[in-house]
Amino acid sequence: MSKFSHFSLPSGTAFKKLFNVTAVAASVAVIASCTNYQQPSVELPQGVSLVESVKAQEGVVNIPFKKYTLANGLTVILHQDNSDPLVHVDVTYHVGSAREQLGKSGFAHFFEHMMFQGSNNVADEQHFKVVTQSGGNLNGTTNSDRTNYFETVPKNQLEKMLWLESDRMGFLLEAITAEKFEVQRATVKNERGQNVDNRPYGRLNETVNQMIFPREHPYSWPVIGYMSDLDRGTVTDLKEFFSRWYGPNNAVLTIGGDIDEAQTLAWVNQYFGELKAGPAVEPLAKTPVSLADNRYYSFSDNVSLPLLYISFPTVYGMHDDEPALDVLANILGGGPTSLLYKNLVKSGVAVQAGTSHPCRELVCQMNFYALPNPQQGLALANIEQVINDTLVEFETRGVNDDDLLKTKVSIETDTIYGLQSVSGKVSNLAHYQTMLDDANYTEQQVARYNQVTKADVMRVFNQYIKGKGAAVLSIVPHGQEALVAKADNFTLPDVSNPPAVAELDTPIMKNISDFDRSVMPSAGENPQVKVPELWRESFANGMEVIASENNETPTVSLLLSLEGGPLLDPIDKAGLAQLTASLMNEGTLARSKEALSNELAKLGSDISFGASGRNTFISVSSLVKNLDATLVLLHEMMFNPLFAQADFDRVKNQTIQGLEQGNKDARTLARNAFKQVTYGKGNRVGLADSGTITTVNTITLADVKGFYKQYFSPSKSSLVVVGDVSRGDLLPKLKRLKSWQGQSYTINTDFTLPEVTPNKVYFVDLPNASQSSIKLSRRAMTYDATSEYFKASLMNYPLGRAFNSRINLNLREDKGYTYGASSYFSGGKTQGSFSAGASVKKEHTYDAMVEIENEIKNYQEKGLTDDEVTFMRQAISQSEALSFETPSQKSGFLRQLLQFNLPTNYGEQQTEIIQNITLAQLNAIAAEELAKPMQWIVVGDGQIVRPQLEKLNVDVVDLTLAQ
């Protein structure tokens, strides 16, 4: 896929594989030896059986674990990792939307929501509160094939998590009410509105699936379901679905982290052992899917560019041919070295193009997509022809050695990076156990890809792609139907009146406990949290270096920041910093972008340049063994950029097309409106980092070269390094950066800012938008770690920062207006803001605005409760145990120290403030901060929304955004 981030396809459309090696976790020996501690054998509780024990082995790619089963069929996997004082709990049920009945779609995803609404011994809305107050984080996800629920918490909270998970596995149905059912039905509709209907290209996935699969195939309907099916659903339907599929015998409980094995098994047996097994679950048939001829279909959408999407059904997840098909996808459309990049993007025919081969349990698909370049015509028939010609070209080109080498290297690097967190290892153990009944599959998975040959790739091309039928979808802007690739020869099925199906006729699950489950387990003593050890170095050229040695994985990451970034743009050339950084990814005087990408892929390294906020940044990741070779490429990209006119023209055009598309997206419009209203369009901070269509159009290649010459300097730079490299080994490798010279420069932060106008609503019309984006905001204090900003953030936490905050519970859980609502302070070095808002049903725009205002007013006047203060103290202070687990978390901590000149122990100072700040002090902050004037910004469908805004009895200003 071309590295062009302005367009965003729906999640899961491409580039995300359930079975992909990029998600396959494997533990190389160096990882296992650092994080694994083998406890002595323990006596098993009655009813618990040891099935498998996998130990770390030198030279073998694996994750050490022990697997058990309970008498009721529950599979339990334990992984010991005592590198951080935390645990990750994952419960995966082998049920997704593929287990739903025709006409009853969306139930699996619906249960993902219902499982957080309380169970027999956990009160309504308490699941999120309990986990959050324990210092943890949590979520759940649903796809076609499985549903999982997971928490990461400090290690002393493990028993509490097992109590929570077992209660909703065994005692959920007693707590389901018609009221909860209706609220979550509304929430799911809001989720669809926000992530599908209100998003450009949002209906792509479900349309392609309808084109490929017969109506009765379980992949023909979307995971979120059809809203008409959900509207027909009843509480009884829901309970029967749960009883059929959510028994312990259809689940895998995986626990990883700093655990005591004997105690953990005892708790698991206590909380889960007495639950009854559900009905037997048989695997679904993996029936091959193929199309005799191409199926063409098209629809218009609120987009700026048409899109062509071609999808071939291939094999199924974990099929023997899956690895070869993945290699084929990479050759055809996997980045700058691919054929589609050369023929579509580099040639200027398209602004973005790519290929992917995502797999699900029953079917994989080879997907091609492209968005045409307006400068060379928007007709999708031309795009389809280039893709077809590219397939012919591949037949002649064949497979070369680098194609296979890059695949093998990607396995090594991706498996290592996938294991930098306990959650990554737990998720992969759970995945393999659920899909293959073999948690110890990582070594075999890596071997499958390493064994792919050139002949294999050619064979799968001929078997699954060449001459085969595909779904060919054209999505075009409204009124531009002539751009479609070909006239429709396929009609989507009518999903509004599904045929009658037999009832599940499953007895409703009913468990009885032999102990009092209403008593929530207490937590042990809070674990001690160690701040990462670090060292600093100052170079004479102005560069500040801060680093932390971390030997849990054989990797190293570098983040080089040059202060200024977009703040250095002339206002009439806003976007210059970002365009300059983007162009530095495009090649050097010695190598083309394609050659650079090829070298980096063979090393398993990544280098990227970007600019946002107040920094230009260069991000580097590498295996330690390849760091020297990676730094050679970094220096080449930094000090010898090509800055070719053809590359400039292409990247500039891509940027403009991305800005055009942003004008069709509610969230982008809302962000831009917030900046303009809050900071003024005459100030650089009042415009998006990427600039506007007008300002980017004025930028020339000479401007880029001038910006690079003037501002690409170490005088205001910082370097953060985290990885398996010592100070003594690293500093000699930084000699080139140490000797780098550049002129100093000033950063303008002296802006004349507009007055806040609380008697006005600024409105941006987005015709036919299914939801409204509403934001109540003002400027606020800049960031500090231990003073006014930090204390205001503590005050706001129960109001709008936690899931169970007042604003979110009101708008999402009580009213059903939104998928999520929040309030927050955001602060930098020179600017700060306070905002409250949400994306809401457009017919409830006014209602949601009133509710937010009322919640803020009530909080400002009456303050917090004692319970809310206790919740805030425990949630924030206990979450510190999760703060330093991964290299990226450590890097973020170090960067914060440098950026704001903080002492290493500022976290201890924050903890002291959290524990000692009083209710009276927090209420005083609320009374002061929430009384300050704020202004509304609304983006939505004017026909529906504008009449509602009139009821506010304030001036409604039609806001013209900077273009």
Side-chain angles (χ1 to χ4, degrees):
M1 184 185 72
S2 68
K3 203 165 191 176
F4 176 43
S5 60
H6 296 294
F7 289 94
S8 179
L9 296 181
S11 176
T13 299
F15 339 120
K16 180 182 177 184
K17 289 175 56 62
L18 293 179
F19 295 85
N20 196 338
V21 296
T22 60
V24 172
S27 190
V28 294
V30 65
I31 299 173
S33 62
C34 290
T35 62
N36 183 58
Y37 167 69
Q38 294 293 333
Q39 294 182 335
S41 298
V42 298
E43 184 176 346
L44 298 182
Q46 186 175 0
V48 178
S49 302
L50 176 64
V51 176
E52 184 179 14
S53 180
V54 175
K55 297 182 179 180
Q57 300 178 52
E58 189 70 30
V60 175
V61 182
N62 75 338
I63 306 173
F65 68 90
K66 289 185 179 180
K67 182 166 73 174
Y68 303 86
T69 58
L70 304 190
N72 56 15
L74 178 67
T75 298
V76 180
I77 298 173
L78 303 182
H79 166 66
Q80 179 75 31
D81 180 344
N82 61 357
S83 59
D84 292 278
L86 56 81
V87 293
H88 183 80
V89 178
D90 179 292
V91 180
T92 298
Y93 297 89
H94 198 171
V95 54
S97 58
R99 295 288 189 178
E100 295 162 353
Q101 293 177 288
L102 186 64
K104 295 186 177 182
S105 65
F107 275 27
H109 173 259
F110 196 94
F111 255 109
E112 181 196 321
H113 285 254
M114 293 302 299
M115 293 277 264
F116 291 103
Q117 298 310 301
S119 47
N120 196 42
N121 299 289
V122 181
D124 189 18
E125 316 297 356
Q126 290 302 295
H127 200 106
F128 271 98
K129 182 178 182 180
V130 169
V131 178
T132 305
Q133 193 163 348
S134 299
N137 55 61
L138 71 161
N139 212 335
T141 66
T142 307
N143 61 36
S144 302
D145 308 311
R146 62 99 189 104
T147 305
N148 68 340
Y149 304 90
F150 47 89
E151 304 89 17
T152 304
V153 293
K155 67 177 186 179
N156 63 321
Q157 303 289 341
L158 174 58
E159 183 184 7
K160 197 179 296 180
M161 299 306 106
L162 299 178
W163 170 73
L164 284 171
E165 288 292 356
S166 65
D167 208 64
R168 63 181 174 184
M169 179 184 284
F171 303 92
L172 177 79
L173 299 185
E174 294 90 330
I176 292 180
T177 63
E179 181 182 3
K180 289 183 182 180
F181 180 86
E182 292 303 332
V183 168
Q184 292 311 308
R185 176 150 53 188
T187 300
V188 171
K189 290 181 178 180
N190 286 322
E191 182 179 358
R192 180 185 171 91
Q194 181 174 315
N195 296 333
V196 178
D197 300 330
N198 215 37
R199 185 175 181 183
Y201 314 106
R203 291 185 287 130
L204 188 156
N205 275 332
E206 67 180 59
T207 305
V208 168
N209 288 336
Q210 287 176 309
M211 294 172 69
I212 289 179
F213 302 108
R215 176 74 175 99
E216 65 275 7
H217 193 284
Y219 287 174
S220 71
W221 53 81
V223 173
I224 200 169
Y226 297 122
M227 297 304 99
S228 56
D229 286 353
L230 279 183
D231 283 339
R232 283 190 300 270
T234 66
V235 173
T236 299
D237 291 334
L238 202 68
K239 290 185 175 182
E240 287 182 348
F241 187 81
F242 183 89
S243 299
R244 176 65 185 88
W245 301 112
Y246 289 78
N249 53 308
N250 197 36
V252 177
L253 169 62
T254 310
I255 304 167
D258 192 2
I259 61 174
D260 178 282
E261 182 182 333
Q263 181 62 78
T264 300
L265 278 177
W267 283 333
V268 168
N269 195 48
Q270 175 186 350
Y271 290 108
F272 291 89
E274 65 180 6
L275 304 183
K276 295 177 183 177
V281 176
E282 300 298 329
L284 290 169
K286 296 181 171 110
T287 306
V289 176
S290 62
L291 302 179
D293 300 294
N294 284 352
R295 291 179 175 177
Y296 288 88
Y297 184 76
S298 62
F299 67 85
S300 64
D301 197 2
N302 189 28
V303 296
S304 64
L305 284 181
L307 179 146
L308 183 71
Y309 198 89
I310 302 174
S311 183
F312 294 84
T314 58
V315 291
Y316 54 82
M318 305 311 297
H319 187 281
D320 289 344
D321 287 340
E322 180 192 4
L325 284 161
D326 285 348
V327 175
L328 174 63
N330 194 53
I331 296 170
L332 292 173
T337 62
S338 69
L339 296 179
L340 277 187
Y341 182 86
K342 172 177 71 73
N343 295 340
L344 281 170
V345 180
K346 191 78 170 180
S347 67
V349 175
V351 293
Q352 186 178 353
T355 308
S356 65
H357 185 242
C359 282
R360 290 180 278 181
E361 187 174 10
L362 306 182
V363 177
C364 304
Q365 293 162 244
M366 182 72 74
N367 301 324
F368 303 85
Y369 82 97
L371 298 112
N373 180 2
Q375 295 178 349
Q376 295 199 27
L378 294 173
L380 294 179
N382 181 46
I383 296 292
E384 183 185 14
Q385 186 59 55
V386 175
I387 292 175
N388 290 335
D389 291 345
T390 300
L391 296 179
V392 174
E393 178 186 350
F394 168 75
E395 254 193 302
T396 303
R397 171 196 183 272
V399 184
N400 60 43
D401 292 337
D402 278 357
D403 294 330
L404 299 182
L405 175 60
K406 287 184 290 186
T407 298
K408 293 173 182 179
V409 171
S410 73
I411 291 191
E412 179 184 7
T413 56
D414 292 336
T415 53
I416 291 172
Y417 282 109
L419 296 183
Q420 291 184 330
S421 68
V422 171
S423 63
K425 291 182 282 187
V426 165
S427 296
N428 284 281
L429 289 169
H431 170 74
Y432 282 126
Q433 178 60 37
T434 301
M435 295 300 162
L436 297 173
D437 196 29
D438 184 2
N440 188 31
Y441 195 77
T442 51
E443 184 179 10
Q444 298 96 303
Q445 178 74 334
V446 172
R448 292 197 321 140
Y449 284 80
N450 283 334
Q451 291 164 5
V452 173
T453 66
K454 296 178 183 179
D456 290 332
V457 180
M458 296 306 299
R459 176 181 54 78
V460 297
F461 170 77
N462 288 312
Q463 185 173 348
Y464 302 107
I465 307 300
K466 182 181 178 182
K468 300 300 187 292
V472 184
L473 174 65
S474 300
I475 303 176
V476 298
H478 294 306
Q480 299 185 41
E481 285 74 13
L483 297 175
V484 302
K486 192 172 288 187
D488 295 357
N489 66 1
F490 178 79
T491 302
L492 295 184
D494 179 7
V495 301
S496 61
N497 293 298
V501 295
E503 298 295 327
L504 284 176
D505 196 27
T506 301
I508 301 301
M509 179 189 295
K510 180 68 175 178
N511 283 295
I512 300 174
S513 186
D514 61 7
F515 66 97
D516 185 1
R517 288 179 175 264
S518 67
V519 179
M520 182 170 65
S522 59
E525 184 178 352
N526 287 342
Q528 293 295 313
V529 179
K530 295 182 180 179
V531 173
E533 295 183 3
L534 57 91
W535 56 267
R536 300 173 185 253
E537 187 82 15
S538 297
F539 293 162
N541 60 5
M543 184 179 295
E544 295 293 329
V545 180
I546 187 168
S548 178
E549 185 175 354
N550 175 47
N551 60 6
E552 292 181 25
T553 59
T555 61
V556 61
S557 66
L558 297 86
L559 181 64
L560 177 61
S561 301
L562 314 182
E563 192 171 9
L567 292 181
L568 300 171
D569 291 344
I571 188 67
D572 60 342
K573 294 183 183 293
L576 178 56
Q578 198 167 94
L579 193 57
T580 302
S582 295
L583 205 58
M584 293 183 75
N585 293 307
E586 293 297 315
T588 70
L589 295 174
R591 299 175 224 248
S592 66
K593 177 174 183 174
E594 294 87 338
L596 275 173
S597 298
N598 198 54
E599 289 302 310
L600 288 167
K602 290 192 290 185
L603 293 170
S605 302
D606 183 74
I607 301 173
S608 63
F609 290 69
S612 62
R614 62 180 295 124
N615 286 283
T616 292
F617 60 85
I618 302 104
S619 176
V620 181
S621 61
S622 172
L623 298 178
V624 172
K625 66 180 182 180
N626 293 332
L627 180 57
D628 289 342
T630 303
L631 291 177
V632 169
L633 297 177
L634 171 67
H635 299 153
E636 188 177 310
M637 295 173 73
M638 287 178 62
F639 304 122
N640 296 292
L642 180 58
F643 289 148
Q645 185 68 49
D647 292 335
F648 170 78
D649 292 341
R650 185 182 68 257
V651 173
K652 177 179 173 179
N653 180 52
Q654 290 174 337
T655 302
I656 291 171
Q657 297 309 318
L659 292 168
E660 292 274 13
Q661 184 57 52
N663 289 333
K664 305 287 187 179
D665 180 68
R667 282 172 285 192
T668 301
L669 289 173
R671 285 194 299 269
N672 293 345
F674 166 75
K675 275 180 164 284
Q676 184 171 312
V677 170
T678 306
Y679 302 114
K681 66 179 179 181
N683 296 316
R684 182 60 188 94
V685 289
L687 301 177
D689 291 338
S690 53
T692 69
I693 295 170
T694 300
T695 61
V696 173
N697 261 318
T698 67
I699 299 172
T700 66
L701 182 57
D703 293 327
V704 167
K705 292 179 178 179
F707 189 92
Y708 171 80
K709 182 178 181 180
Q710 184 174 1
Y711 297 120
F712 200 75
S713 164
S715 64
K716 289 180 172 60
S717 67
S718 62
L719 177 65
V720 176
V721 184
V722 175
D724 191 12
V725 57
S726 67
R727 179 175 189 164
D729 288 337
L730 179 63
L731 284 175
K733 301 178 189 297
L734 302 181
K735 284 184 178 179
R736 181 66 183 88
L737 295 180
K738 187 175 183 179
S739 63
W740 176 23
Q741 296 299 314
Q743 62 190 37
S744 186
Y745 54 87
T746 58
I747 303 171
N748 178 31
T749 56
D750 185 18
F751 303 116
T752 301
L753 301 173
E755 294 295 323
V756 176
T757 53
N759 59 334
K760 294 180 180 179
V761 173
Y762 294 91
F763 179 66
V764 179
D765 188 14
L766 183 61
N768 301 313
S770 63
Q771 293 201 317
S772 298
S773 178
I774 61 174
K775 186 183 289 285
L776 182 63
S777 64
R778 66 170 174 84
R779 291 188 300 278
M781 70 286 286
T782 57
Y783 173 85
D784 64 64
T786 56
S787 189
E788 184 182 25
Y789 175 89
F790 178 68
K791 293 174 183 177
S793 297
L794 299 181
M795 173 275 294
N796 175 69
Y797 194 80
L799 172 65
R801 207 57 178 143
F803 178 88
N804 54 302
S805 64
R806 293 191 189 185
I807 290 175
N808 190 57
L809 288 184
N810 183 340
L811 269 67
R812 172 177 162 138
E813 301 301 311
D814 296 340
K815 304 298 189 305
Y817 294 161
T818 181
Y819 183 50
S822 65
S823 64
Y824 56 91
F825 286 90
S826 177
K829 276 190 173 182
T830 57
Q831 301 293 336
S833 65
F834 174 75
S835 299
S839 178
V840 301
K841 293 178 179 178
K842 61 183 177 182
E843 60 269 24
H844 288 295
T845 303
Y846 167 80
D847 301 324
M849 294 168 71
V850 170
E851 291 300 328
I852 289 176
E853 287 184 344
N854 288 342
E855 288 291 355
I856 291 176
K857 182 180 180 181
N858 184 58
Y859 203 78
Q860 185 261 333
E861 293 178 349
K862 298 180 180 178
L864 294 75
T865 67
D866 288 327
D867 284 346
E868 286 175 327
V869 175
T870 299
F871 168 72
M872 178 275 293
R873 291 193 208 280
Q874 295 180 350
I876 298 178
S877 61
Q878 293 186 144
S879 67
E880 189 181 9
L882 282 57
S883 298
F884 308 115
E885 181 191 10
T886 66
S888 62
Q889 288 176 304
K890 293 181 175 72
S891 179
F893 169 69
L894 299 184
R895 188 165 182 264
Q896 192 86 338
L897 295 182
L898 278 183
Q899 187 172 10
F900 295 103
N901 194 28
L902 300 174
T904 305
N905 69 338
Y906 81 90
E908 296 176 10
Q909 299 174 38
Q910 289 184 330
T911 298
E912 186 174 348
I913 293 171
I914 292 168
Q915 297 305 326
N916 293 315
I917 195 168
T918 65
L919 175 61
Q921 289 173 312
L922 290 167
N923 286 342
I925 295 171
E928 178 183 357
E929 291 296 329
L930 300 181
K932 294 178 180 178
M934 292 189 280
Q935 55 207 2
W936 276 109
I937 300 167
V938 179
V939 178
D941 183 352
Q943 272 196 320
I944 304 298
V945 174
R946 232 185 180 287
Q948 298 179 55
L949 300 181
E950 302 295 340
K951 294 190 290 185
L952 293 170
N953 294 319
V954 296
D955 290 339
V956 179
V957 178
D958 289 309
L959 182 65
T960 301
L961 294 176
Q963 296 294 315

